[in-house]
Amino acid sequence: MTQLIEIACDESGSEGENLMEAAHSVFSHASVNLSVDEAEAIMSDLAGRTRSSAQELKSKVLLRPANRRHLIEVLRPDGPLTGRVNIYLADKSFFVVGKIVSLLIEEDAHAHGLNINAYERAIANQLFDLGPRALGEADWKRLLVGFNSLVRTKKRSNSIHPSFSDFVALLDDVRLRSKRRRVTEILGLVWEAREQARQFEDPSESLLRELEPIVPTLNWVATSWRLRLGDVPIAFIHDEHWALNEEATELLVKAAKARVSISGLLMPSVDLRSISLVDSKSDPRVQVADILAAAGRVVGEDALEGNTSGQLAESIKPMLDFNGLWSENSPLGTLIPPDATAHLSRESFV
């Protein structure tokens, strides 16, 4: 009988469904294939190097300039983490643009009997890459913030939820300002699909959070580990997260069995047995994932600011998931090494 492999996980940069007015521009998720003993040894080593006596050594301590060298030492190519880590990055702004396409344009096409799934990513890429220049930075951000505010399920306390008509008025104003034909065409499709946004005016609290990145992230991360490990049963041990309720975890376990297509390749199904939530203080594997998720987020945010080099970036690059969520022309894509999929064989996709 094949042994169950436990993958420990944590995230960094999660601010719920508040994506456009968040403190962090990148959502990062790290997962590790380590035993408890291996993780304990890593955390003990880092605690000794940083002279930390805390019950749990947190990422913010290791990412201080004075301590980064200790983290980089653990990340060395011949170190204990090589080949045992997956770090998935998502550009939050691009995530919102993708949702504009999938929740409005794609849903409207489906209502009219059309299947445009194969074109969604391309449409999102075009809108994201051309939108700021077509509309100007201010109107571009206004559009994304307006959509984000409408679709958010959890609201700020004492805040007034934007109405459907508020969003429609904003969309109408912005689309007429476009100075690029392709953006005008895409926003025309959004305008035609605007009725699809009405459902978010007063969303049910039971709905899965459409703008919470962790659910689609875990769906792909399961596939990523399937490609690395082969057809073996896996279980996720995840730090506590408000969005990973019973409904979400059951959906993820079920969704893992479906085969999805990425860049024309049909991905294999995943034997994901369970997703368990733990307090990171109780599991050193999750503590390692916490540190790596934060390091990945810092590297990703630096890349969006134009800095894709440096010791930390070079150490993190081999651990990055090749199928992260960013636009075609994003600096995040330049972080992925050319041989990022070299560990995959034809058998990986069976």
Side-chain angles (χ1 to χ4, degrees):
M1 184 175 180
T2 305
Q3 183 178 0
L4 179 71
I5 296 179
E6 292 186 335
I7 304 297
C9 314
D10 202 356
E11 52 75 24
S12 180
S14 175
E15 295 165 79
E17 296 173 298
N18 176 28
L19 300 174
M20 290 307 305
E21 297 178 300
H24 299 294
S25 57
V26 171
F27 170 83
S28 173
H29 185 275
S31 47
V32 300
N33 177 20
L34 297 170
S35 69
V36 172
D37 289 344
E38 288 171 324
E40 281 183 342
I42 292 170
M43 295 306 299
S44 177
D45 178 37
L46 288 170
R49 290 171 182 270
T50 58
R51 300 181 180 180
S52 173
S53 59
Q55 180 182 358
E56 179 182 358
L57 178 61
K58 301 298 288 185
S59 56
K60 64 181 180 181
V61 174
L62 275 167
L63 289 170
R64 291 172 183 164
N67 289 332
R68 282 197 185 192
R69 69 183 189 279
H70 303 310
L71 175 57
I72 291 168
E73 172 63 20
V74 172
L75 297 175
R76 67 187 187 276
D78 62 344
L81 293 172
T82 298
R84 317 286 292 279
V85 179
N86 184 75
I87 301 176
Y88 178 96
L89 302 181
D91 181 333
K92 292 182 180 181
S93 294
F94 185 68
F95 185 78
V96 172
V97 171
K99 286 297 183 179
I100 290 176
V101 176
S102 64
L103 296 179
L104 302 184
I105 297 177
E106 193 279 332
E107 287 296 326
D108 190 62
H110 180 73
H112 289 85
L114 301 174
N115 185 346
I116 65 166
N117 288 344
Y119 308 103
E120 280 186 41
R121 188 68 175 255
I123 295 171
N125 279 328
Q126 293 168 346
L127 182 57
F128 187 84
D129 290 337
L130 300 175
R133 284 173 286 175
L135 303 176
E137 291 289 348
D139 280 336
W140 171 247
K141 184 173 183 180
R142 203 158 60 93
L143 173 64
L144 300 193
V145 169
F147 178 77
N148 189 170
S149 298
L150 177 68
V151 179
R152 284 178 70 178
T153 304
K154 290 179 72 68
K155 313 302 175 191
R156 296 190 185 114
S157 59
N158 301 320
S159 65
I160 299 175
H161 182 46
S163 68
F164 168 71
S165 60
D166 289 336
F167 174 70
V168 168
L170 168 62
L171 175 62
D172 193 27
D173 179 51
V174 168
R175 74 185 180 97
L176 297 175
R177 297 171 184 264
S178 173
K179 296 179 175 62
R180 285 181 175 259
R181 185 178 66 179
R182 184 53 183 153
V183 172
T184 301
E185 291 171 347
I186 295 173
L187 291 181
L189 294 175
V190 177
W191 177 252
E192 292 174 4
R194 62 191 182 278
E195 195 62 31
Q196 298 296 327
R198 188 182 294 277
Q199 64 182 303
F200 301 108
E201 186 168 40
D202 185 23
S204 166
E205 285 294 325
S206 66
L207 286 173
L208 287 174
R209 317 300 189 190
E210 290 287 359
L211 293 180
E212 171 51 64
I214 199 165
V215 174
T217 293
L218 273 178
N219 191 31
W220 167 255
V221 169
T223 300
S224 192
W225 280 106
R226 166 66 171 83
L227 296 176
R228 290 167 177 260
L229 300 174
D231 189 12
V232 297
I234 64 172
F236 284 146
I237 311 299
H238 206 291
D239 190 25
E240 295 171 331
H241 193 286
W242 67 271
L244 295 177
N245 53 33
E246 184 177 355
E247 180 184 11
T249 55
E250 288 179 356
L251 176 65
L252 283 164
V253 169
K254 182 178 180 180
K257 294 176 172 57
R259 302 187 69 179
V260 297
S261 179
I262 302 293
S263 301
L265 290 174
L266 188 62
M267 299 292 109
S269 61
V270 185
D271 187 5
L272 176 62
R273 299 291 176 87
S274 63
I275 301 173
S276 303
L277 303 186
V278 301
D279 185 334
S280 60
K281 291 185 178 66
S282 69
D283 196 316
R285 299 171 298 176
V286 175
Q287 295 171 27
V288 174
D290 165 70
I291 290 168
L292 294 172
R297 176 185 55 75
V298 169
V299 169
E301 290 177 343
D302 284 348
L304 292 183
E305 294 296 323
N307 180 14
T308 58
S309 60
Q311 286 184 298
L312 183 60
E314 295 305 320
S315 299
I316 288 293
K317 284 177 181 179
M319 302 176 178
L320 294 177
D321 196 305
F322 69 92
N323 193 47
L325 188 64
W326 51 74
S327 73
E328 191 172 44
N329 296 319
S330 172
L332 293 178
T334 67
L335 295 172
I336 306 301
D339 60 350
T341 58
H343 64 288
L344 304 179
S345 64
R346 181 176 295 276
E347 288 72 28
S348 301
F349 298 93
V350 176

